[in-house]
């Protein structure tokens, strides 16, 4: 039977393919009085089995475990409605990887250079419902958000924006040319650039994509 003291601790599972690093996480958890190590694993399927059986509060994982990677483990945690919150600790912070993990439900992203105090703080924070991201992780995610925003809302010139508005209003290329005091050839050049930026090949698709991406607001 669990004692009151052990029952009040945050229960943690640690997983990493490298035994030395896995043991370093385990040692940090054992030395923190608020934490209790309840399981260790070297592979993704082993982790999922532990999460289903032990239902720990927090799992500290490498995102590139054998068998199942971080995104797939997060998906199974969600499908099984497990209470475990997941922190990923990796060698480096790739922009897309950090964004995808947090989007998939990760509660924390750290690097393997994280010190003992920061790891303990991260585990305690996410166990309490928070999200813990190191500075590198925050920067990686911000960069990815900005990149995706640029892709989703391409940068259009003022001429292209006016052509887009007139396109949405149903104007023909000659009508646009007369209204904008441009040749039909120049209008068609602007249309070609617009189609390329929106990744479409014709008028109706350009208007539909522009509306969806908020370019006609």
């Amino acid at each position: 039977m669990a004692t009151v003291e052990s029952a009040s601790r945050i229960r943690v599972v640690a997983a990493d393919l490298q035994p030395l690093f896995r043991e370093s996480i385990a040692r940090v958890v054992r030395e923190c009085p608020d934490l209790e190590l309840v399981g260790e694993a070297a592979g993704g399927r082993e982790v999922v089995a532990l999460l289903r059986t032990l239902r720990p509060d927090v799992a500290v994982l490498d995102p590139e475990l054998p068998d199942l990677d971080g995104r797939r483990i997060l998906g199974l945690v969600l499908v099984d409605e497990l209470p475990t919150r997941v922190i990923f600790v990796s060698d480096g912070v790739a922009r897309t990887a950090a964004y995808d993990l947090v989007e998939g439900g990760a509660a924390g992203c750290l690097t393997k250079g994280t010190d003992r105090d920061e790891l303990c703080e991260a585990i305690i924070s996410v166990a309490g419902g928070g999200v813990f991201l190191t500075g590198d992780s925050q920067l990686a995610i911000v960069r990815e958000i900005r990149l995706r925003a640029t892709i989703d809302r391409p940068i259009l010139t003022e001429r292209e924006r006016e052509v887009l508005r007139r396109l949405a209003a149903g104007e023909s290329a000659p009508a646009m040319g007369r209204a904008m005091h441009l040749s039909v050839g120049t209008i068609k050049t602007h249309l070609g650039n617009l189609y390329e930026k929106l990744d479409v090949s014709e008028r109706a698709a350009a208007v539909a994509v522009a509306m969806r991406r908020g370019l006609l607001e």
Side-chain angles (χ1 to χ4, degrees):
M1 179 179 296
T3 65
V4 173
E5 181 182 1
S6 65
S8 65
R9 291 178 182 168
I10 296 166
R11 302 169 69 249
V12 181
V13 162
D16 195 284
L17 179 61
Q18 302 173 26
L20 287 176
F21 190 74
R22 187 170 66 250
E23 177 52 35
S24 71
I25 295 175
R27 184 169 60 253
V28 169
V29 172
R30 291 191 189 101
E31 291 174 354
C32 183
D34 296 319
L35 310 180
E36 178 186 7
L37 185 72
V38 295
E40 298 180 48
R45 296 189 186 281
E46 188 180 0
V47 166
V48 172
L50 288 176
L51 300 188
R52 287 170 172 164
T53 303
L54 301 174
R55 300 175 71 84
D57 302 299
V58 177
V60 182
L61 316 176
D62 186 307
E64 299 297 332
L65 290 171
D67 305 328
L68 293 173
D69 64 16
R71 282 300 299 263
R72 294 175 69 191
I73 291 172
L74 287 171
L76 291 172
V77 168
L78 182 63
V79 168
D80 290 356
E81 298 183 342
L82 299 176
T84 307
R85 309 207 69 212
V86 180
I87 296 174
F88 288 106
V89 185
S90 61
D91 288 316
V93 185
R95 187 190 67 234
T96 302
Y99 180 96
D100 287 345
L101 290 173
V102 172
E103 183 184 46
C109 286
L110 311 174
T111 65
K112 289 188 176 180
T114 297
D115 63 27
R116 173 189 179 281
D117 291 341
E118 189 170 46
L119 179 57
C120 287
E121 182 184 353
I123 294 171
I124 293 169
S125 176
V126 304
V131 173
F132 196 98
L133 304 172
T134 60
D136 287 346
S137 298
Q138 291 177 26
L139 182 59
I141 290 168
V142 167
R143 285 175 174 168
E144 183 66 10
I145 289 171
R146 288 174 176 168
L147 176 63
R148 295 189 184 207
T150 301
I151 292 171
D152 197 48
R153 295 175 65 94
I155 298 173
L156 305 180
T157 67
E158 278 303 313
R159 288 290 195 193
E160 288 165 355
R161 288 185 179 279
E162 185 173 357
V163 167
L164 179 59
R165 288 192 293 270
R166 293 181 180 278
L167 197 68
E171 291 187 16
S172 65
M176 290 183 205
R178 289 192 295 271
M180 297 172 66
H181 306 290
L182 297 173
S183 70
V184 173
T186 300
I187 293 295
K188 287 183 177 179
T189 297
H190 287 313
L191 283 169
N193 293 338
L194 191 60
Y195 290 172
E196 183 177 356
K197 289 181 178 181
L198 297 178
D199 193 24
V200 299
S201 58
E202 50 90 25
R203 172 188 293 259
V207 174
V209 170
M211 291 178 67
R212 187 170 66 248
R213 296 184 182 181
L215 298 173
L216 286 168
E217 296 174 352

